[in-house]
Amino acid sequence: RDTRLAIRGFGIRAPFGVRGVKILVDGIPMTFPDGQAQLDMIDLRSAERIEVIRGPASSLYGNASGGVVQVFTEDGPEIPFVELYTVGGEYGLFKTGVKTGGQSGNLNYVLNVSRLELDGHREHSRYENVLLNGKFRFEISPTADLTVLTNFVNLPRIDNPSSVTREQWDQGILTNPRAIAMDSHAATTQGTVGLVFRKEFLENHYLTVNFYDAYRDVVEYLPFPEAVDFDRWYIGGGLQYMYAAAVLGRPNRFTIGTDIQHQDDDRRNWEHEGGRFTDKITVNEDEEVSNYALYFRDEFSFIDKWEVTVGGRYDNVRFSADDWLITADNPDDSGSRTMEEFSPMVGLRYSPYPWLNLYGNVATAFETPTTVELVNRPTRAGGFNPNLNPMESTQYEVGVKGFWERFSYEAALFFIRVEDELIGFELAEMPVREFFRNAGRSQHNGLELAFGAQVLPGLTTSVAYTFSDFEFRDYRTDAGVFDGNKIPGVPENQLYWDLHYRHPSGFYGFLDLLYVDDMFVDDANKYENDAHTVVNLRLGVDRTYGHWRLSPFVGINNLFDEEYSGSVVVNSAALRFYEPAPGANVYGGLSVAYLFF
């Protein structure tokens, strides 16, 4: 029912949304002040490129241990266009949309609106999505521009089939029967408006100012007799100054900035019966999160072929709660918690040849629990868990990367020591809901390899391999001693390969393969998720006839009908670890664009 995103093991604890990874779209944070992000509002059809920053280099962005994902929306082309597109496929897949973009005087624009319906491959897994994304850039002068970003998403129905046990899965039961009986589902609306102003003043001096305002309304009926109803409003902005010019006769780039965010949640939890509220309220509180940050970064080429980078970020995150549900059995849990940290980093790069770059980085990272993780208390209904602490890590990375003619390559070796790693768990004697605790100490060691090549004209390939050796070093609970156990939810080996061919006539084909190793799904390392290999194929053609551009395509997901669990629920007390993925399925579509020239 949601997209899980993890980098170097950070983010696996998320039962929904994205944690441990910072998400930005055109410089505007999609990550809330408490560290949680949603991907529903990101429009990949309008994305020009996506940049992933892993590990220590991401410390500049704050409150995320794994890294940063930045999505950059395409600019409108010089020749304006209007495009209609539709996609259909198995499991009730049907998507339609309209997209337009172009340049008109000093205004560059891209606007996309779409509607998606999907019945899903499991019973009780229907999904609906209406998405609007717009980007409007005004050129104020040759050295200044203002970009206005608009985003709106409405998900009127997201059924939650929940997870199942291995025995249920083997019997062909792919949906948790309790999810059907309780009619577990959610409805979400979110909207964002962002402004980004960029100005070059004097020579080599650059100023960037951003401001954003957003809201998110959620009503969710869980697979047990509790429903969540919260309204979120958040606002923020940032100011960044960069000076890119020689210092002492050597190339240098200095950046300094500040970020300010505020989040306000009105949270109400109710008991529900089969998707209908009862009159019994279980949580009634207002929650606020404020995040203030200062950061700097300097990249200095002190001698030929050598560059040193130093930087740091100070974050102050304050959580506060006003508890309005006060009874003889439930005392006032109002209160606040403040979490702050300075995260420094230092890096060194040596580039003896244009195609060879050797580097090393050391950094610390800081990540707070989200409000959902803080308010989920095993013994109380309201307030914040006083025993849940922020996660801190010290990260070391060495690597090599470069481009040579038709080839690209990259290798990175990393060692991460984590204090108070945030771990999700469930209690069998309570309604099945997720709580969180800290593991005393853990270690993330890994290797990442990547290679890309243009094999022949029009034919390219790429391969990426990740080895992950992640384990607990000091982790003891009432359930047992887990020192030396593997961190659940992370495969030891993962391999990706793709092959892409494009002919001058417009015909193209794309084949990709993903192998995911088996992995443990509980802290005790008693249960596993099996390894799997999934292959996908897509064929299409792009042709232009005068003012018209036609692009039909067809694809097959899971070409060889692999049976596997696409995601897992770590530490499920009811042993419902598995969320079965779709088998082989076919889809196809057509886009028709008119070019105004």
Side-chain angles (χ1 to χ4, degrees):
R1 70 186 179 102
D2 212 342
T3 302
R4 174 171 292 169
L5 180 64
I7 296 178
R8 296 181 175 176
F10 299 107
I12 60 170
R13 77 182 190 273
F16 59 89
V18 176
R19 286 106 190 238
V21 180
K22 193 103 173 196
I23 309 295
L24 298 99
V25 176
D26 295 318
I28 299 296
M30 294 292 107
T31 299
F32 303 126
D34 67 345
Q36 179 187 355
Q38 303 290 147
L39 301 181
D40 295 317
M41 73 291 300
I42 295 180
D43 177 22
L44 293 181
R45 191 176 183 90
S46 297
E48 180 184 57
R49 70 185 191 278
I50 300 175
E51 296 181 359
V52 179
I53 306 173
R54 306 187 306 274
S58 68
S59 62
L60 190 67
Y61 297 87
N63 203 7
S65 300
V68 177
V69 175
Q70 300 192 75
V71 181
F72 296 91
T73 304
E74 64 183 335
D75 292 330
E78 292 185 8
I79 300 175
F81 74 96
V82 174
E83 177 186 26
L84 301 176
Y85 58 90
T86 183
V87 181
E90 296 187 73
Y91 306 128
L93 169 64
F94 183 67
K95 181 177 183 178
T96 57
V98 59
K99 179 180 175 182
T100 184
Q103 181 79 35
S104 177
N106 292 337
L107 171 64
N108 185 277
Y109 63 95
V110 174
L111 181 65
N112 187 34
V113 183
S114 65
R115 176 180 176 82
L116 169 66
E117 297 180 6
L118 180 68
D119 292 336
H121 67 287
R122 295 198 278 166
E123 186 179 1
H124 196 72
S125 60
R126 179 169 174 77
Y127 177 90
E128 297 180 41
N129 179 324
V130 176
L131 180 64
L132 180 149
N133 271 280
K135 174 184 173 183
F136 307 89
R137 189 180 72 249
F138 301 88
E139 184 178 334
I140 301 172
S141 71
T143 60
D145 61 71
L146 175 66
T147 301
V148 180
L149 304 163
T150 60
N151 170 272
F152 174 80
V153 62
N154 179 35
L155 299 99
R157 178 82 185 193
I158 315 170
D159 284 342
N160 177 13
S162 191
S163 52
V164 297
T165 66
R166 182 78 235 193
E167 290 73 21
Q168 290 174 320
W169 186 10
D170 290 341
Q171 296 170 13
I173 301 173
L174 304 184
T175 296
N176 181 4
R178 188 174 183 84
I180 299 174
M182 298 302 298
D183 190 22
S184 61
H185 68 278
T188 300
T189 301
Q190 178 168 328
T192 305
V193 175
L195 303 175
V196 180
F197 172 74
R198 296 183 178 90
K199 168 70 175 176
E200 179 183 0
F201 60 99
L202 301 177
E203 184 178 1
N204 301 318
H205 295 263
Y206 303 89
L207 180 68
T208 302
V209 181
N210 66 56
F211 171 81
Y212 46 94
D213 191 7
Y215 71 93
R216 182 176 177 85
D217 298 335
V218 176
V219 177
E220 181 172 12
Y221 300 87
L222 301 170
F224 51 88
E226 187 169 10
V228 178
D229 180 3
F230 79 85
D231 299 327
R232 171 172 295 173
W233 169 77
Y234 70 100
I235 189 171
L239 176 67
Q240 183 183 94
Y241 162 77
M242 184 176 70
Y243 176 64
V247 173
L248 301 177
R250 304 298 306 170
N252 186 78
R253 182 168 60 182
F254 175 72
T255 303
I256 189 170
T258 181
D259 292 325
I260 301 176
Q261 293 180 299
H262 180 77
Q263 170 183 317
D264 193 337
D265 292 355
D266 295 331
R267 185 181 301 274
R268 309 291 182 269
N269 289 14
W270 307 75
E271 286 191 356
H272 80 98
E273 297 176 350
R276 295 184 299 276
F277 281 124
T278 68
D279 58 1
K280 184 176 181 180
I281 189 170
T282 57
V283 174
N284 182 2
E285 68 182 28
D286 297 333
E287 303 155 4
E288 295 186 2
V289 184
S290 297
N291 183 1
Y292 307 95
L294 293 170
Y295 62 88
F296 75 93
R297 182 185 185 97
D298 190 74
E299 302 160 70
F300 181 53
S301 179
F302 57 98
I303 58 176
D304 288 343
K305 303 178 182 179
W306 288 87
E307 181 181 86
V308 64
T309 300
V310 295
R313 179 181 173 108
Y314 169 77
D315 277 284
N316 182 295
V317 186
R318 185 179 187 273
F319 297 82
S320 63
D322 292 322
D323 186 8
W324 304 109
L325 185 63
I326 304 172
T327 65
D329 299 327
N330 187 50
D332 187 355
D333 286 312
S334 300
S336 65
R337 292 193 63 184
T338 298
M339 305 176 187
E340 59 180 344
E341 187 70 23
F342 176 70
S343 303
M345 71 85 62
V346 60
L348 185 65
R349 178 170 61 87
Y350 175 54
S351 304
Y353 305 102
W355 50 267
L356 179 64
N357 298 276
L358 305 167
Y359 69 91
N361 296 313
V362 181
T364 62
F366 169 70
E367 183 178 332
T368 68
T370 66
T371 53
V372 172
E373 293 165 355
L374 276 174
V375 301
N376 276 4
R377 304 173 64 184
T379 58
R380 300 286 281 273
F384 295 133
N385 186 346
N387 300 316
L388 196 62
N389 297 313
M391 180 168 60
E392 299 179 10
S393 62
T394 303
Q395 310 188 25
Y396 307 87
E397 177 182 345
V398 293
V400 57
K401 62 175 65 177
F403 297 89
W404 180 60
E405 295 183 351
R406 296 178 289 111
F407 304 95
S408 65
Y409 67 95
E410 180 177 354
L413 185 66
F414 62 87
F415 309 90
I416 306 174
R417 179 186 172 118
V418 184
E419 303 286 343
D420 290 326
E421 181 147 0
L422 291 159
I423 303 293
F425 70 99
E426 295 177 349
L427 296 178
E429 66 270 17
M430 300 187 68
V432 180
R433 56 184 290 189
E434 187 158 28
F435 303 99
F436 296 86
R437 60 190 173 208
N438 295 110
R441 187 163 55 90
S442 56
Q443 187 77 30
H444 296 207
N445 300 329
L447 172 68
E448 298 164 340
L449 303 173
F451 176 78
Q454 181 179 345
V455 182
L456 296 169
L459 181 64
T460 59
T461 186
S462 65
V463 61
Y465 167 75
T466 302
F467 171 75
S468 303
D469 181 19
F470 301 167
E471 65 178 37
F472 298 116
R473 294 293 176 86
D474 179 14
Y475 183 27
R476 306 181 181 193
T477 72
D478 295 338
V481 177
F482 305 128
D483 297 0
N485 285 10
K486 297 294 184 182
I487 296 177
V490 182
E492 188 171 75
N493 297 283
Q494 182 165 299
L495 176 69
Y496 172 83
W497 170 78
D498 67 44
L499 187 67
H500 183 205
Y501 176 71
R502 180 172 290 273
H503 192 268
S505 66
F507 169 81
Y508 66 88
F510 190 86
L511 180 73
D512 68 85
L513 175 150
L514 176 66
Y515 167 78
V516 178
D517 205 355
D518 52 16
M519 60 181 134
F520 293 109
V521 293
D522 64 321
D523 291 342
N525 290 180
K526 185 177 179 180
Y527 301 95
E528 290 184 276
N529 185 44
D530 295 336
H532 57 269
T533 303
V534 179
V535 178
N536 305 305
L537 174 66
R538 179 183 175 114
L539 303 172
V541 62
D542 295 323
R543 297 294 298 271
T544 300
Y545 304 92
H547 289 268
W548 297 93
R549 183 177 65 231
L550 304 180
S551 303
F553 61 90
V554 64
I556 304 177
N557 290 320
N558 195 358
L559 182 63
F560 299 109
D561 200 26
E562 179 88 343
E563 183 178 329
Y564 69 104
S565 178
S567 62
V568 296
V569 178
V570 173
N571 290 327
S572 171
L575 307 184
R576 295 187 295 103
F577 302 112
Y578 308 102
E579 297 186 325
N585 61 95
V586 178
Y587 66 94
L590 172 67
S591 67
V592 179
Y594 184 81
L595 311 178
F596 295 89
F597 60 81

